[in-house]
Amino acid sequence: MILDLPSTTTVQVSKKLVEVRKTGGAVTLGRVLTLVVCTRDTGNAEAAIEAANEASREHPCRVIVLLRGDEQSEPRLDAQIRVGGDAGASEVVVLRLYGPLADHESSVVIPFLLPDTPVVAWWPLEAPEIPAKDPVGRLAIRRITDATGAPDPTATIKGRLASYTAGDTDLAWSRVTYWRALLASALDQPPHEKITSAVVSGLKTEPALDILAGWLAAKIDGPVIRRTGELTVELKLETRSISISRPQEGTTATLIRTGQPDALVSLGRRETRDCLAEELRRLDPDEIYEEALAGLEKVTYE
C-alpha cells in the first residue's frame, strides 16, 4: 500500500503512520533499527528503496528516504508512506524536501526515528566528505557509503581513511567479502607459508578491488600491486602460488593452487541489497575495514 501526502507536515505524517499501523497491523515494536537513506538523485531513489526493502527482510526496520526537490522553490514537504508488499518487512517513509527545508534534513528526520533503536545512515551515491560530521550522520551509530558510483571511485575509496570515524563502512568493502573468505580458506591449507607478494587485477574503476588490495597490503609483509586487466587475485607464497580469476561479468571463478587440481567456485558480483544486509548485521565498528583503508597507502598502482 502506498499513501501520498503532498504539502504536509511531520506531525501529519506521524499521525498517518499511527493510523496505518492500527488498520494494517504494522507493528513498530518489531523493528530493530531505523535506516535513513540519503539521496539527491531522484532517479536512483527507487533502486535504493528496493535494496533497503530486500535488506529489511533480514533486518525489519523503518526506512526513511530523504530526497531533495527544487531548492529554489518555497519550503514544502511532500511525503509518501509505503507498507505491506511495497515495503518488504519494513515501513518506508519517503520525504521530499523543497526550498530551504532541504538544508535541514536532520530536523525533518528526527520525528520519525524509532525510540530506543539504533540509527543507520546510508548514502547510495554521493556522500558527505566526513559522514560522521554530517547532520544526519551524527544521528547514526553506523554510516554506510558506496564509492562505486562516485565520479572517481579510486580517489573516493582512498579518501575514506582521512574521514574515517568508528562506525563508518563502504559497500565496496562488503562486495569482496566472499573473495576474502575464499582467499583465507585457500591459505588455511598446509603447507602454511608466508605470502611474499600479491597482485590484484580488474577494472580500473572498481573500488572493491582497491579495498581488497588494501586489505592484502595490511596483512602481508610484501609488495601488493593493483593493475588494470582481467579480474584476478594472485598470491605468491614461498614455494607456491594461489590465484582466483573470474570473467568480469561471470558468476563462476577458478581457484588455482600449485600442486592441486583447479577448482570452480561460485563467486558472482554481489547485489547492493546483499551488501547492505551484511552491513546491517553488525552495528559495531569494523576495525578490519579501517586497516584495509590504511593498507591502501601501501598499494602500488600500475
Side-chain angles (χ1 to χ4, degrees):
M1 178 172 63
I2 299 179
L3 300 175
D4 289 312
L5 302 172
S7 299
T8 187
T9 66
T10 58
V11 173
Q12 290 173 334
V13 177
S14 296
K15 288 181 178 180
K16 181 58 70 172
L17 275 170
V18 173
E19 178 183 325
V20 168
R21 286 198 298 272
K22 288 181 177 179
T23 58
V27 183
T28 301
L29 294 178
R31 309 307 188 225
V32 298
L33 58 87
T34 302
L35 175 62
V36 183
V37 183
C38 306
T39 177
R40 298 186 179 185
D41 185 352
T42 303
N44 182 63
E46 287 303 323
I49 293 172
E50 182 180 355
N53 286 347
E54 290 299 318
S56 75
R57 299 186 189 281
E58 182 177 336
H59 312 277
C61 59
R62 171 175 289 177
V63 179
I64 303 173
V65 183
L66 294 173
L67 297 172
R68 290 196 175 193
D70 184 0
E71 297 186 26
Q72 303 302 317
S73 67
E74 292 297 315
R76 188 176 89 245
L77 172 65
D78 288 349
Q80 186 180 80
I81 297 174
R82 304 184 185 187
V83 294
D86 296 295
S90 63
E91 53 190 9
V92 179
V93 181
V94 182
L95 304 172
R96 189 183 300 275
L97 287 60
Y98 292 87
L101 191 61
D103 294 324
H104 301 279
E105 293 175 320
S106 61
S107 299
V108 175
V109 80
I110 285 176
F112 302 105
L113 301 180
L114 296 175
D116 302 319
T117 59
V119 177
V120 178
W122 174 36
W123 292 268
L125 288 176
E126 183 181 355
E129 185 174 346
I130 305 178
K133 292 187 177 181
D134 179 81
V136 174
R138 290 194 189 102
L139 301 173
I141 64 170
R142 191 85 161 135
R143 294 163 296 277
I144 304 172
T145 55
D146 193 349
T148 305
D152 188 340
T154 297
T156 299
I157 197 65
K158 284 184 174 181
R160 296 287 189 233
L161 181 62
S163 65
Y164 179 81
T165 303
D168 290 356
T169 192
D170 195 281
L171 292 189
W173 175 238
S174 20
R175 285 195 177 92
V176 291
T177 295
Y178 293 161
W179 284 81
R180 293 187 289 120
L182 184 57
L183 287 170
S185 176
L187 288 167
D188 193 25
Q189 304 288 334
H192 301 289
E193 297 179 337
K194 176 183 178 182
I195 304 173
T196 59
S197 65
V199 176
V200 178
S201 177
L203 291 175
K204 182 179 181 180
T205 56
E206 181 51 80
L209 297 178
D210 296 312
I211 195 69
L212 178 61
W215 173 68
L216 289 169
K219 295 299 181 181
I220 70 175
D221 185 16
V224 176
I225 298 173
R226 169 74 164 94
R227 290 177 179 160
T228 301
E230 296 298 322
L231 182 53
T232 305
V233 178
E234 184 176 5
L235 305 181
K236 292 290 186 180
L237 286 76
E238 293 171 335
T239 64
R240 60 194 178 104
S241 66
I242 297 173
S243 71
I244 304 172
S245 61
R246 195 203 75 194
Q248 295 287 1
E249 301 301 327
T251 59
T252 302
T254 303
L255 173 62
I256 304 173
R257 295 161 290 182
T258 301
Q260 298 187 42
D262 296 352
L264 298 179
V265 292
S266 177
L267 201 62
R269 181 179 176 83
R270 301 188 73 192
E271 298 289 342
T272 298
R273 62 176 182 268
D274 300 319
C275 297
L276 181 61
E278 177 183 323
E279 293 300 342
L280 294 179
R281 288 184 200 126
R282 59 175 301 166
L283 300 179
D284 57 320
D286 190 342
E287 294 86 357
I288 308 301
Y289 168 67
E290 183 183 7
E291 290 178 7
L293 290 177
L296 275 168
E297 298 181 349
K298 303 176 183 179
V299 175
T300 300
Y301 282 75
E302 293 184 350

